[in-house]
């Protein structure tokens, strides 16, 4: 039996025009049927036919493109031929196969040259456009179409293998003629350039031409479908060197330029151009197109495209309901619905379940572009299993798999659980429940149940869908899809719109927003590109929205998590660094929580102020400073293991030319006296503050920082004042000595009073001295009590403060009485005060004046309110700043009294010096010097002159080393041991007191001796 074979012949005819020297060509398609036995002889015969004259034409080439078996309907493409577009459209399964079977005779089932070229073009003519050119049924349209079809065919038909040309429409812009042209085999680039140039001259128009098929394209994969996660290289082969090729990628009608990125790499050879994808995923499933500009004409573009089919694998989220099924009451079996959720994809998966039975083989669409695959797991309570594991496994076309599993805990009668709360059901202790995000959000929410059966706070990983899509677009730019510079304005504009969403209060949303900025920065770095400062308003507004008060609680998962704030600073600074700016640019963009300013000290010597009370006062180069409000709450609250109060403003400084810049910054911060300040920057590698390269301005310039590098700076203040080494120990030891010494002094005074006090002067002196010692003794006891941390200390703190305040003032006012008495004796030598007068004046001055001061101070400070009148930590008056705080109700009167007492001492010394000056003898001068020293030593502790050091303690800040240490240690030693010094100088230093005390002891000893003698004599007599 002989089979008939149907052949399709492609015949090229070369026509010679009589009226022109140009040639034109035409391709004809011929269908023949021959017996299979004659097939080989017939095809050989065709190959031997020379150029065959046909009328005024020459039949130049005859090629067999397709052979079909008429009986079976199977057709095959011969070598160097491929299926036509019609076959690919109607029989897609045949498109990439060498043979295809047709059920019926199909005249379109033919193959054409694999090197055929399609051309799309437009011709712009300087003619008036008519509205009728839009109407394809109008006479004007038909006439114009016929006219230009003939003219264009006459120009382009000279191309070898020219097949057809058709006009597809007209557009306005003068008159733009759109046309398509088919050429059945490869054409020379030079020939095409010449024809286009001649056509432009002949028709007096401008052409834009795009060819497809002239450049070949292929991949390094043997299979049409590429495995998920594999690498692939796509190569374009132009017929001759055409320069550097460009690449684009199209997916779902969205087209992006391919650039170097994290996944895409473009390799340009001398002839070829390649794009390499390191990790193929759903992102790269689409059409790749390479483009070359013609060598001698920028209006001619040569393109080639290929569709990359990827066998996809999904990212799976698995949940169960109920999360913890209950076997309480012994009901069995219990059904659990398990869902495996993926994003909607074109891949058709085969899903296998472990320990569960699928409800349906196919997935069910759910909101937010996701698909849910469901299965039911049966739990048999009598088996007493504590958990059940369910797994879903997705299988793609190439038998690649992706799976996810869930462990479902089972609740029994004796199980400890967290009771259901709001949308959260009962959960077994030590397990975590997961729920899908609701509304226009993607992701999951999780909440853990502790081992003790109490709920932990829920953790939301929900991201708004618009922000999720935006982040994916930014990641695509980073992968290599699109030019960052062209897309930056749109990306940051969308980010601003996303952050203005009324429902934004999740950590995941803030993190995604920060990730968008970081991803854009990385993409810009990969492409070595920058963007315009026009992005600043959107970037600043977005960042300001993230720092709103309402979102601060969502910045950290826990108190020690600073990573998000560190990433935010790094990403924001990255956006600034990737911006096009020069030193003369003027930038000042401000929102509620963020402000960007260019600081150029070359053009202006003024500080670069911000509205946030932080500024750069000096800079060695042009810098961009950015102020952030509220960011400090998400950054570390400690520096070098010291608890600190962070400043509300973080100041980021970036050099415009990436040079090392020395900057001087000023921060508006209220520093408390003796509190250490730290000028620091954020070390991104450790997520901690560091002071390397930064120096504080000191107590004289407490708001100033000097740094020699660029970073995000701030100024920190310690939460506690500087504490001197052994300060408490020295103070307590001194107070102990003083209390013992003062108590001893009072005992001595009681013992020697009648012996020593013989005159009005001595009565006055010892009365004053006793009151000084008594007041100081009570004050020291209260101070020592306040420093001990007894249980009810807070309840007694106000009382202790008031007593200390009153007694110390009383002590100083009694020293004033002593000072006034000395002055009276020196000035009014022959006038004696009456006893009642000086006692009345002294007691009024010594106790009434302090009482009035203390009372007024308490009333003026909200009736002795803590934090206003006294400090609950020290049980003493408060010092806020210069002339601020209740402490000045003590400092001012004490300062005046000390000055008066010092004046008194000077007068006494001057009286001692007068005889010495008049006599002028060396011996006498030594005696005078000895007298002066004796006077100073004896009067200083009694008159409280050592407390003048307290003024220096207030003035000299503890941060001023070593002067502050010298002053403070001197103050502690002299004043905590004041009672001991009074014992030595006021009591034991007076000769009459020593004599009286000695006589008292002698009398006691004599009386004791007489008593013993009398006892012995009585004993002898009795014998």
């Amino acid at each position: 039996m002989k089979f008939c074979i149907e052949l399709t012949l492609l015949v090229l005819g070369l026509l010679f025009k009589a009226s022109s020297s140009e040639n034109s060509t035409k391709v004809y398609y011929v269908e023949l049927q021959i017996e299979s036995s004659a097939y080989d002889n017939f095809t050989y015969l065709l190959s031997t036919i020379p150029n065959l004259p046909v009328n005024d034409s020459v039949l130049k080439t005859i090629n067999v493109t397709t052979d079909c078996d008429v009986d079976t309907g199977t057709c095959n493409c011969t070598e160097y031929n491929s299926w036509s577009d019609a076959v690919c459209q109607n029989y897609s399964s045949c498109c990439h196969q060498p043979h295809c079977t047709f059920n019926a005779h199909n005249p379109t089932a033919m193959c054409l040259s694999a090197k055929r070229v399609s051309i799309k073009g437009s011709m712009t003519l300087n003619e008036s456009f008519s509205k009728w050119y839009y109407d394809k049924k109008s006479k004007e349209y038909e006439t114009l179409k016929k006219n230009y079809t003939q003219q264009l065919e006459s120009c382009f038909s000279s191309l070898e293998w020219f097949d057809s040309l058709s006009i597809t429409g007209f557009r306005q812009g003068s008159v733009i003629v759109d046309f398509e042209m088919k050429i059945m085999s490869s054409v020379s680039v030079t020939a095409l350039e010449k024809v286009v140039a001649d056509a432009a001259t002949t028709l007096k128009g401008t052409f834009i031409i795009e060819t497809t098929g002239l450049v070949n394209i292929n991949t390094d994969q043997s299979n049409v479908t590429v495995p998920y996660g594999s690498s692939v290289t796509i190569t374009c082969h132009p017929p001759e060197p055409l320069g550097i090729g460009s690449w684009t990628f199209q997916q779902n009608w969205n087209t992006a330029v391919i650039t170097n990125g994290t996944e895409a790499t473009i390799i340009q050879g001398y002839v070829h151009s390649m794009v390499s994808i390191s990790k193929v995923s759903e992102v790269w499933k689409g059409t790749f197109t390479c483009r070359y500009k013609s060598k001698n004409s920028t209006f001619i573009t040569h393109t080639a495209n290929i569709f990359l089919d990827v066998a996809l694998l999904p990212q799976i989220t698995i949940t169960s309901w109920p999360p913890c099924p209950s076997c309480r009451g012994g009901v069995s079996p219990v059904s659990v619905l398990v869902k495996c959720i993926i994003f909607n994809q074109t891949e058709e998966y085969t899903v296998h379940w472990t320990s569960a039975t699928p409800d349906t083989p196919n997935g069910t669409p759910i909101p937010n572009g996701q698909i849910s695959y469901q299965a039911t797991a049966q739990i048999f309570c009598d088996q007493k299993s504590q958990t059940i594991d369910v797994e879903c496994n997705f299988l793609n076309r190439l038998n690649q798999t992706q799976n996810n599993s869930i462990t479902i805990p089972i609740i029994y009668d004796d199980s400890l659980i967290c009771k259901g709360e709001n949308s959260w059901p009962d959960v077994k202790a030590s397990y975590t429940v997961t729920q899908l995000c609701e509304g226009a959000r993607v992701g999951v929410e999780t909440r853990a149940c502790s081992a003790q059966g109490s709920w932990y706070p829920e953790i939301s990983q929900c991201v708004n869908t618009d922000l999720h899509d935006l982040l994916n677009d930014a990641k695509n730019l980073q992968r290599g899809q699109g030019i960052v510079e062209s897309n930056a304005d749109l990306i940051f504009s969308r980010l601003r719109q996303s952050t203005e969403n009324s429902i934004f209060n999740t950590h995941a949303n803030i993190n995604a927003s920060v990730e968008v900025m970081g991803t854009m920065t990385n993409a810009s770095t990969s492409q070595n590109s920058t963007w315009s400062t026009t992005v600043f308003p959107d970037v600043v507004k977005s960042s300001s929205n993230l720092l709103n008060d309402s979102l601060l609680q969502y910045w950290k998962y826990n108190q020690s998590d600073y990573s998000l704030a560190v990433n935010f600073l790094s990403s924001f600074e990255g956006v600034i660094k990737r911006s096009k700016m020069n030193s003369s640019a003027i930038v000042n963009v401000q929102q509620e929580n963020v402000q960007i300013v260019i600081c150029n000290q070359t053009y202006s010597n003024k500080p670069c102020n911000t509205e946030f009370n932080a500024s750069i006062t000096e800079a060695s180069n042009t810098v961009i400073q950015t102020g952030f409000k509220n960011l400090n709450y998400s950054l570390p609250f400690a520096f070098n293991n010291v608890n600190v109060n962070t400043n509300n403003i973080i100041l980021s400084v970036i050099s415009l030319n990436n040079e090392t810049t020395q900057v001087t910054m000023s921060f508006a911060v209220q520093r408390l006296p003796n509190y250490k300040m730290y000028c620091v920057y954020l070390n991104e590698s450790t997520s901690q503050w560091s002071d390397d390269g930064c120096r504080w301005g000191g107590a004289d310039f407490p708001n100033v920082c000097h740094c020699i590098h660029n970073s995000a700076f701030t100024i920190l203040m310690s939460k506690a004042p500087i504490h001197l080494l052994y300060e408490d120990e020295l103070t307590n030891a001194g107070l102990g000595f003083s209390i013992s010494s003062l108590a001893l002094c009072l005992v001595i005074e009681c013992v020697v009073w009648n012996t020593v006090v013989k005159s009005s002067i001595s009565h006055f002196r010892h009365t004053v001295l006793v009151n000084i010692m008594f007041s100081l003794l009570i004050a020291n006891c209260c101070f020592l009590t306040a420093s001990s941390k007894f249980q009810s200390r807070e309840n007694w703190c106000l009382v202790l403060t008031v007593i200390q305040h009153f007694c110390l003032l009383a002590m100083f006012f009694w020293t004033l009485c002593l000072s006034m008495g000395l002055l009276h004796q020196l000035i009014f030598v022959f006038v004696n005060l009456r006893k009642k007068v000086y006692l009345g004046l002294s007691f009024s001055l010594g106790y009434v004046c302090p009482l009035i001061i203390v009372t007024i101070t308490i009333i003026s400070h909200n009736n002795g309110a803590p934090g206003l009148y006294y400090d609950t930590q020290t049980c003493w008056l408060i010092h806020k700043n210069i002339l601020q705080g209740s402490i000045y109700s003590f400092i001012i009167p004490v300062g005046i009294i000390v000055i008066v007492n010092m004046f008194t001492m000077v007068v006494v010394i001057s009286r001692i010096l007068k005889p010495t000056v008049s006599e002028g003898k060396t011996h006498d001068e030594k005696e005078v010097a000895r007298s002066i020293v004796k006077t100073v030593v004896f009067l200083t502790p009694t008159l409280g002159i050592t407390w003048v050091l307290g003024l220096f303690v207030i003035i000299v800040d503890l941060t001023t080393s070593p002067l502050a240490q010298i002053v403070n240690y001197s103050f502690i030693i002299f004043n905590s041991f004041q009672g001991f010094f009074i014992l030595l100088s006021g009591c034991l230093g007076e000769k009459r007191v020593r004599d009286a005390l000695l006589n008292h002891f002698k009398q006691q000893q004599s009386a004791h001796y007489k008593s013993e003698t009398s006892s012995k004599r009585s004993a002898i007599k009795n014998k």
Side-chain angles (χ1 to χ4, degrees):
M1 178 179 179
K2 297 184 178 179
F3 297 96
C4 288
I5 296 179
E6 182 179 17
L7 302 179
T8 300
L9 306 182
L10 187 149
V11 182
L12 172 65
L14 180 61
L15 305 180
F16 297 92
K17 296 183 179 179
S19 60
S20 173
S21 60
E22 295 180 355
N23 299 327
S24 63
T25 62
K26 182 64 176 177
V27 175
Y28 298 92
Y29 304 95
V30 180
E31 185 178 299
L32 300 176
Q33 287 189 6
I34 63 172
E35 291 184 358
S36 58
S37 60
Y39 176 78
D40 292 335
N41 292 331
F42 180 76
T43 54
Y44 173 77
L45 178 63
L46 291 178
S47 65
T48 60
I49 296 178
N51 294 340
L52 182 64
V54 180
N55 295 330
D56 58 349
S57 305
V58 175
L59 182 62
K60 187 174 182 181
T61 306
I62 301 175
N63 288 331
V64 177
T65 64
T66 314
D67 63 75
C68 299
D69 189 324
V70 177
D71 295 331
T72 63
T74 300
C75 297
N76 298 281
C77 291
T78 60
E79 190 177 8
Y80 306 120
N81 295 285
S82 62
W83 292 110
S84 66
D85 295 338
V87 173
C88 288
Q89 291 174 4
N90 298 320
Y91 304 90
S92 57
S93 60
C94 298
C95 190
H96 300 287
Q97 302 297 329
H99 56 82
C100 188
T101 300
F102 302 94
N103 295 328
H105 176 71
N106 190 343
T108 64
M110 65 176 179
C111 302
L112 301 176
S113 172
K115 297 181 180 180
R116 61 187 181 275
V117 178
S118 297
I119 297 177
K120 290 184 178 180
S122 65
M123 176 179 63
T124 303
L125 301 170
N126 189 17
E127 296 182 5
S128 299
F129 190 85
S130 172
K131 64 179 181 179
W132 298 108
Y133 295 164
Y134 286 126
D135 185 4
K136 294 185 177 182
K137 295 181 179 179
S138 67
K139 183 178 179 181
E140 288 82 358
Y141 181 92
E142 293 291 341
T143 302
L144 191 66
K145 179 180 179 181
K146 181 179 179 181
N147 180 27
Y148 280 113
T149 299
Q150 294 175 351
Q151 294 186 51
L152 288 170
E153 283 183 342
S154 66
C155 293
F156 287 100
S157 62
S158 60
L159 288 172
E160 191 174 8
W161 293 103
F162 174 82
D163 179 45
S164 62
L165 185 148
S166 61
I167 292 177
T168 57
F170 299 97
R171 290 180 287 132
Q172 189 172 1
S174 296
V175 174
I176 301 176
V177 182
D178 294 325
F179 61 91
E180 293 181 355
M181 183 167 44
K182 293 182 179 180
I183 300 185
M184 286 299 103
S185 189
S186 181
V187 64
S188 167
V189 173
T190 304
L192 179 62
E193 290 175 351
K194 182 179 183 305
V195 168
V196 172
D198 293 343
T201 302
T202 303
L203 301 178
K204 297 180 180 180
T206 303
F207 284 86
I208 297 177
I209 300 294
E210 181 178 289
T211 72
T212 302
L214 196 60
V215 177
N216 294 323
I217 188 170
N218 58 15
T219 71
D220 61 348
Q221 294 285 334
S222 58
N223 295 327
V224 176
T225 303
V226 179
Y228 188 90
S230 63
S231 63
V232 64
T233 300
I234 304 171
T235 306
C236 269
H237 308 268
E240 56 186 83
L242 294 176
I244 298 175
S246 62
W247 289 86
T248 60
F249 174 77
Q250 183 178 4
Q251 184 183 70
N252 298 330
W253 305 105
N254 296 319
T255 303
V257 176
I258 301 177
T259 60
N260 289 323
T262 56
E263 294 180 0
T265 303
I266 294 179
I267 304 169
Q268 299 288 357
Y270 176 69
V271 178
H272 304 152
S273 178
M274 294 181 289
V275 59
S276 177
I277 308 300
S278 60
K279 185 179 180 180
V280 174
S281 64
E282 63 276 2
V283 173
W284 295 107
K285 183 176 181 178
T287 302
F288 288 78
T289 303
C290 64
R291 285 180 171 83
Y292 290 89
K293 289 291 183 182
S294 198
K295 292 185 297 183
N296 300 315
S297 175
T298 58
F299 299 107
I300 301 177
T301 304
H302 306 289
T303 68
N305 59 70
I306 189 172
F307 180 79
L308 186 66
D309 187 20
V310 182
L312 304 180
L313 284 177
Q315 300 298 319
I316 308 167
T317 301
I318 187 169
T319 64
S320 67
W321 189 263
C324 299
S326 176
C327 277
R328 288 178 172 175
V331 179
S332 183
V334 178
S335 297
V336 180
L337 180 64
V338 182
K339 296 181 180 180
C340 283
I341 299 153
I342 66 172
F343 280 99
N344 192 5
Q345 296 176 339
T346 57
E347 187 77 17
E348 294 184 1
Y349 296 105
T350 302
V351 182
H352 299 284
W353 293 86
T354 302
S355 302
T357 303
D359 295 348
T360 57
N362 300 320
T364 303
I366 61 175
N368 299 325
Q370 298 178 97
I371 297 178
S372 174
Y373 291 82
Q374 299 181 177
T376 301
Q378 298 291 336
I379 297 174
F380 298 94
C381 298
D382 53 353
Q383 296 179 359
K384 297 297 182 180
S385 300
Q386 293 299 314
T387 61
I388 180 174
D389 294 324
V390 177
E391 180 182 271
C392 57
N393 195 311
F394 285 70
L395 186 71
N396 67 11
R397 289 171 286 167
L398 298 182
N399 295 324
Q400 292 178 290
T401 61
Q402 183 75 284
N403 60 68
N404 200 356
S405 62
I406 186 172
T407 299
I408 304 173
I410 304 170
I411 298 174
Y412 293 95
D413 292 330
D414 58 347
S415 297
L416 183 63
I417 66 169
C418 290
K419 293 293 291 182
E421 185 177 289
N422 298 328
S423 62
W424 300 98
D426 292 351
V427 174
K428 194 173 183 179
S430 302
Y431 286 92
T432 300
V433 61
T434 301
Q435 292 183 353
L436 281 180
C437 300
E438 297 180 350
R441 302 185 301 170
V442 296
V444 295
E445 294 175 303
T446 60
R447 195 173 188 186
C449 179
S450 70
Q452 292 74 34
S454 60
W455 284 109
Y456 287 115
E458 64 182 69
I459 297 176
S460 174
Q461 299 176 18
C462 300
V463 179
N464 295 350
T465 52
D466 59 338
L467 185 57
H468 178 265
D469 294 340
L470 173 60
L471 179 57
N472 284 337
D473 290 344
K475 288 182 176 179
N476 287 343
L477 284 173
Q478 186 180 12
R479 291 183 177 103
Q481 288 185 18
I483 299 175
V484 172
E485 185 175 359
S486 304
N487 290 273
D489 285 292
L490 178 60
I491 292 290
F492 289 120
S493 176
R494 290 170 59 191
L495 179 61
R496 174 185 57 77
Q497 295 171 12
S498 295
T499 58
E500 290 173 346
N501 194 322
S502 58
I503 304 175
F504 198 79
N505 55 341
T506 67
H507 177 87
N509 276 331
I510 300 174
N511 185 71
S513 302
V514 172
E515 193 174 352
V516 168
M517 291 193 291
T519 302
M520 289 295 292
T521 300
N522 294 335
S524 177
T525 303
S526 297
Q527 296 182 16
N528 195 25
S529 64
T530 57
W531 44 61
S532 169
T533 55
T534 55
V535 305
F536 281 0
D538 289 325
V539 173
V540 171
K541 179 60 177 175
S542 303
S543 302
S544 180
N545 292 338
L546 297 179
L547 293 172
N548 283 337
D549 295 337
S550 60
L551 296 180
L552 294 181
Q553 60 179 313
Y554 301 105
W555 273 76
K556 294 190 290 187
Y557 274 135
N558 54 67
Q559 292 301 314
S560 60
D561 180 20
Y562 311 113
S563 58
L564 181 55
V566 174
N567 290 339
F568 170 77
L569 270 174
S570 176
S571 300
F572 190 95
E573 290 178 349
V575 172
I576 301 298
K577 292 176 181 178
R578 303 307 303 177
S579 302
K580 296 177 183 176
M581 284 183 288
N582 54 60
S583 57
S584 61
I586 299 176
V587 175
N588 189 339
V589 183
Q590 179 184 350
Q591 290 295 334
E592 181 180 358
N593 300 309
V594 180
Q595 182 182 19
I596 298 178
V597 177
I598 285 189
C599 179
N600 193 334
Q601 295 289 328
T602 304
Y603 292 91
S604 173
N605 292 323
K606 297 180 180 180
C608 297
N609 295 319
T610 69
E611 297 297 326
F612 301 157
N613 296 322
S615 61
I616 295 177
T617 57
E618 294 181 15
S620 58
N621 294 305
T622 301
V623 297
I624 304 100
Q625 71 167 28
T626 307
F628 300 95
K629 279 184 181 178
N630 293 336
L631 185 60
N632 60 301
Y633 297 112
S634 305
L635 291 170
F637 287 92
F639 169 65
N640 288 345
N641 297 321
V642 176
N643 290 330
V644 293
N645 291 315
T646 57
N647 186 27
N648 188 40
I649 302 301
I650 305 297
L651 194 63
S652 170
V653 180
I654 300 173
S655 174
L656 188 63
N657 300 319
N658 294 323
E659 298 176 355
T660 301
T661 302
Q662 300 183 14
V663 292
T664 300
M665 296 161 287
S666 176
F667 295 88
V669 59
Q670 191 69 26
R671 174 182 175 267
L672 297 177
N674 301 326
Y675 278 71
K676 179 71 174 177
M677 305 296 289
Y678 304 96
C679 291
V680 296
Y681 73 96
L682 189 64
N683 189 330
E684 296 178 4
S685 60
T686 62
S687 298
Q688 297 294 327
W689 298 114
S690 174
D691 60 354
D692 293 341
C694 289
R695 175 173 53 87
W696 178 45
D700 295 332
F701 303 97
N703 301 334
V704 174
C705 289
H706 307 277
C707 294
I708 59 173
H709 54 78
N710 305 329
S711 188
F713 301 100
T714 192
I715 190 167
L716 308 175
M717 184 173 71
S718 59
K719 288 190 174 182
I722 295 176
H723 191 77
L724 294 175
L725 192 63
Y726 303 119
E727 177 184 12
D728 294 336
E729 290 80 0
L730 281 174
T731 301
N732 293 335
L735 290 175
F737 269 95
S738 289
I739 291 172
S740 302
S741 300
L742 291 170
L744 182 60
C745 279
L746 290 174
V747 172
I748 291 172
E749 287 291 335
C750 292
V751 171
V752 303
W753 183 272
N754 293 328
T755 306
V756 175
V757 178
K758 299 294 185 180
S759 63
S760 297
I761 294 176
S762 61
H763 185 275
F764 169 75
R765 180 179 181 278
H766 283 275
T767 300
V768 172
L769 192 60
V770 167
N771 282 278
I772 288 174
M773 292 186 293
F774 177 75
S775 298
L776 185 59
L777 175 63
I778 300 300
N780 285 348
C781 289
C782 290
F783 190 93
L784 201 60
T785 303
S787 63
S788 61
K789 308 296 182 181
F790 59 95
Q791 188 173 3
S792 58
R793 178 175 174 273
E794 292 184 3
N795 300 329
W796 288 93
C797 199
L798 175 60
V799 176
L800 292 172
T801 304
V802 172
I803 294 175
Q804 288 181 82
H805 192 187
F806 174 77
C807 289
L808 286 175
L809 284 176
M811 186 268 290
F812 276 102
F813 274 101
W814 277 106
T815 64
L816 180 62
C817 293
L818 181 60
S819 177
M820 292 296 100
L822 288 174
L823 285 176
H824 184 271
Q825 292 179 32
L826 293 174
I827 297 173
F828 305 102
V829 180
F830 302 103
V831 178
N832 293 324
L833 284 175
R834 288 179 297 172
K835 188 175 182 179
K836 290 183 180 180
V837 174
Y838 71 69
L839 285 178
L841 290 174
S842 296
F843 275 93
S844 298
L845 190 63
Y847 291 117
V848 175
C849 288
L851 182 61
I852 293 173
I853 293 173
V854 171
T855 303
I856 293 174
T857 305
I858 291 174
I859 294 173
S860 62
H861 288 82
N862 196 18
N863 296 323
L868 293 177
Y869 174 65
Y870 69 97
D871 188 345
T872 57
Q873 298 297 320
T874 61
C875 291
W876 181 233
L877 304 176
I878 291 178
H879 178 214
K880 293 182 179 179
N881 212 327
I882 298 176
L883 297 180
Q884 293 182 6
S886 59
I887 189 69
Y888 285 96
S889 66
F890 174 76
I891 292 175
I892 293 175
V894 168
I896 295 172
I897 291 171
V898 170
I899 291 172
V900 172
N901 292 349
M902 291 178 67
F903 173 74
T904 300
M905 182 180 288
V906 172
V907 172
V908 171
I909 293 173
S910 65
R911 288 291 185 181
I912 296 173
L913 287 174
K914 280 186 178 180
T916 305
V917 174
S918 61
E919 293 177 4
K921 295 181 180 180
T922 305
H923 179 73
D924 293 336
E925 289 177 356
K926 291 181 179 179
E927 288 294 332
V928 169
R930 192 178 294 112
S931 299
I932 293 173
V933 172
K934 183 178 178 181
T935 300
V936 172
V937 170
F938 278 78
L939 288 181
T940 295
T942 307
L943 294 179
I945 293 176
T946 55
W947 282 76
V948 74
L949 292 171
L951 298 176
F952 292 100
V953 169
I954 298 297
I955 295 172
V956 179
D957 198 272
L958 283 176
T959 58
T960 308
S961 299
L963 179 60
Q965 283 70 24
I966 295 173
V967 170
N968 278 269
Y969 281 121
S970 299
F971 176 79
I972 292 171
I973 292 171
F974 283 113
N975 292 295
S976 62
F977 287 88
Q978 184 180 2
F980 176 69
F981 294 141
I982 290 176
L983 172 65
L984 297 178
S985 61
C987 290
L988 302 179
E990 187 178 349
K991 187 176 184 304
R992 285 184 298 176
V993 173
R994 293 197 305 271
D995 292 342
L997 191 61
L998 185 60
N999 290 332
H1000 176 75
F1001 283 126
K1002 287 181 179 180
Q1003 291 175 5
Q1004 290 291 328
Q1005 186 177 7
S1006 176
H1008 180 68
Y1009 176 75
K1010 288 179 181 181
S1011 175
E1012 287 184 352
T1013 304
S1014 299
S1015 297
K1016 288 179 180 180
R1017 288 177 181 176
S1018 298
I1020 292 171
K1021 288 179 181 180
N1022 291 332
K1023 288 180 179 180

